[in-house]
Amino acid sequence: MLERLGVLLFSTLLVAGSLAGAVWIIATGQLQGIDGIFLMLVCLVLALVFAIVAHSLVKNAMATATQPAAAKAKAVAKPAAAAGTAEAHSQPAATH
């Protein structure tokens, strides 16, 4: 949980910084040259990539929060049951 929050905070910070860089490029008039255009492109692509990361984190958190408790218990019990049957099949049969 704390790890997701850290990634979300970092992503949000990078989005804000990239957009601030894009605004700075426009405000200082650097957009007129090819260097300014590519710098603007880098800022916008960086903002887009980290916005997608932040969006997917929020979307997954919302889906996890709205999932019913019974479905969570079923999802946890299913792999445990599968692991138990795999262990039973992996043990060699005793020969008498």
Side-chain angles (χ1 to χ4, degrees):
M1 179 71 177
L2 189 60
E3 182 179 317
R4 286 183 184 178
L5 183 62
V7 172
L8 180 63
L9 187 65
F10 181 72
S11 298
T12 305
L13 183 68
L14 280 174
V15 168
S18 297
L19 292 177
V23 169
W24 180 260
I25 292 167
I26 293 170
T28 58
Q30 295 180 17
L31 194 58
Q32 295 171 359
I34 193 75
D35 292 339
I37 293 171
F38 279 115
L39 188 57
M40 174 69 91
L41 183 65
V42 167
C43 286
L44 293 177
V45 168
L46 190 63
L48 177 67
V49 167
F50 282 99
I52 290 171
V53 169
H55 179 265
S56 68
L57 282 171
V58 170
K59 184 178 175 183
N60 287 342
M62 295 288 283
T64 304
T66 58
Q67 187 179 15
K72 284 184 184 179
K74 185 178 179 182
V76 170
K78 194 176 218 181
T85 58
E87 289 175 2
H89 292 296
S90 65
Q91 296 175 352
T95 55
H96 295 280

